[in-house]
PDB file of all heavy atoms in Angstrom:
ATOM      1  N   MET B 161      16.699  44.602  31.758  1.00  0.00           N
ATOM      2  CA  MET B 161      15.848  43.426  31.621  1.00  0.00           C
ATOM      3  C   MET B 161      15.861  42.915  30.187  1.00  0.00           C
ATOM      4  O   MET B 161      15.939  41.716  29.943  1.00  0.00           O
ATOM      5  CB  MET B 161      14.426  43.807  32.031  1.00  0.00           C
ATOM      6  CG  MET B 161      13.478  42.643  32.119  1.00  0.00           C
ATOM      7  SD  MET B 161      13.846  41.536  33.465  1.00  0.00           S
ATOM      8  CE  MET B 161      12.737  42.170  34.728  1.00  0.00           C
ATOM      9  N   VAL B 162      15.805  43.861  29.227  1.00  0.00           N
ATOM     10  CA  VAL B 162      15.739  43.444  27.821  1.00  0.00           C
ATOM     11  C   VAL B 162      16.989  42.658  27.424  1.00  0.00           C
ATOM     12  O   VAL B 162      16.888  41.588  26.798  1.00  0.00           O
ATOM     13  CB  VAL B 162      15.580  44.671  26.889  1.00  0.00           C
ATOM     14  CG1 VAL B 162      15.655  44.254  25.427  1.00  0.00           C
ATOM     15  CG2 VAL B 162      14.264  45.366  27.174  1.00  0.00           C
ATOM     16  N   LEU B 163      18.168  43.160  27.802  1.00  0.00           N
ATOM     17  CA  LEU B 163      19.399  42.568  27.294  1.00  0.00           C
ATOM     18  C   LEU B 163      19.598  41.114  27.739  1.00  0.00           C
ATOM     19  O   LEU B 163      19.852  40.256  26.905  1.00  0.00           O
ATOM     20  CB  LEU B 163      20.595  43.466  27.611  1.00  0.00           C
ATOM     21  CG  LEU B 163      20.536  44.823  26.885  1.00  0.00           C
ATOM     22  CD1 LEU B 163      21.706  45.709  27.285  1.00  0.00           C
ATOM     23  CD2 LEU B 163      20.500  44.652  25.373  1.00  0.00           C
ATOM     24  N   PRO B 164      19.476  40.798  29.055  1.00  0.00           N
ATOM     25  CA  PRO B 164      19.650  39.382  29.423  1.00  0.00           C
ATOM     26  C   PRO B 164      18.608  38.461  28.779  1.00  0.00           C
ATOM     27  O   PRO B 164      18.953  37.328  28.400  1.00  0.00           O
ATOM     28  CB  PRO B 164      19.481  39.378  30.948  1.00  0.00           C
ATOM     29  CG  PRO B 164      19.546  40.774  31.387  1.00  0.00           C
ATOM     30  CD  PRO B 164      19.288  41.675  30.223  1.00  0.00           C
ATOM     31  N   ILE B 165      17.392  38.936  28.633  1.00  0.00           N
ATOM     32  CA  ILE B 165      16.365  38.075  28.020  1.00  0.00           C
ATOM     33  C   ILE B 165      16.693  37.872  26.544  1.00  0.00           C
ATOM     34  O   ILE B 165      16.603  36.757  26.018  1.00  0.00           O
ATOM     35  CB  ILE B 165      14.960  38.667  28.206  1.00  0.00           C
ATOM     36  CG1 ILE B 165      14.586  38.661  29.686  1.00  0.00           C
ATOM     37  CG2 ILE B 165      13.938  37.867  27.402  1.00  0.00           C
ATOM     38  CD1 ILE B 165      13.252  39.291  29.985  1.00  0.00           C
ATOM     39  N   TYR B 166      17.144  38.951  25.904  1.00  0.00           N
ATOM     40  CA  TYR B 166      17.533  38.822  24.496  1.00  0.00           C
ATOM     41  C   TYR B 166      18.677  37.805  24.345  1.00  0.00           C
ATOM     42  O   TYR B 166      18.622  36.939  23.469  1.00  0.00           O
ATOM     43  CB  TYR B 166      17.960  40.191  23.963  1.00  0.00           C
ATOM     44  CG  TYR B 166      18.670  40.129  22.627  1.00  0.00           C
ATOM     45  CD1 TYR B 166      17.941  39.977  21.458  1.00  0.00           C
ATOM     46  CD2 TYR B 166      20.056  40.186  22.548  1.00  0.00           C
ATOM     47  CE1 TYR B 166      18.574  39.886  20.228  1.00  0.00           C
ATOM     48  CE2 TYR B 166      20.707  40.094  21.330  1.00  0.00           C
ATOM     49  CZ  TYR B 166      19.961  39.949  20.177  1.00  0.00           C
ATOM     50  OH  TYR B 166      20.594  39.843  18.980  1.00  0.00           O
ATOM     51  N   VAL B 167      19.659  37.906  25.212  1.00  0.00           N
ATOM     52  CA  VAL B 167      20.794  36.977  25.130  1.00  0.00           C
ATOM     53  C   VAL B 167      20.304  35.523  25.311  1.00  0.00           C
ATOM     54  O   VAL B 167      20.699  34.630  24.563  1.00  0.00           O
ATOM     55  CB  VAL B 167      21.856  37.322  26.195  1.00  0.00           C
ATOM     56  CG1 VAL B 167      22.911  36.217  26.300  1.00  0.00           C
ATOM     57  CG2 VAL B 167      22.525  38.647  25.852  1.00  0.00           C
ATOM     58  N   ALA B 168      19.416  35.320  26.282  1.00  0.00           N
ATOM     59  CA  ALA B 168      18.913  33.952  26.517  1.00  0.00           C
ATOM     60  C   ALA B 168      18.136  33.449  25.296  1.00  0.00           C
ATOM     61  O   ALA B 168      18.278  32.301  24.901  1.00  0.00           O
ATOM     62  CB  ALA B 168      18.021  33.954  27.750  1.00  0.00           C
ATOM     63  N   LEU B 169      17.359  34.334  24.690  1.00  0.00           N
ATOM     64  CA  LEU B 169      16.604  33.921  23.495  1.00  0.00           C
ATOM     65  C   LEU B 169      17.539  33.572  22.345  1.00  0.00           C
ATOM     66  O   LEU B 169      17.319  32.640  21.592  1.00  0.00           O
ATOM     67  CB  LEU B 169      15.643  35.030  23.071  1.00  0.00           C
ATOM     68  CG  LEU B 169      14.361  35.163  23.886  1.00  0.00           C
ATOM     69  CD1 LEU B 169      13.691  36.503  23.594  1.00  0.00           C
ATOM     70  CD2 LEU B 169      13.419  34.017  23.587  1.00  0.00           C
TER      71      LEU B 169
END
Side-chain angles (χ1 to χ4, degrees):
Chain B
M161 187 69 95
V162 174
L163 295 177
I165 294 177
Y166 167 79
V167 169
L169 282 165

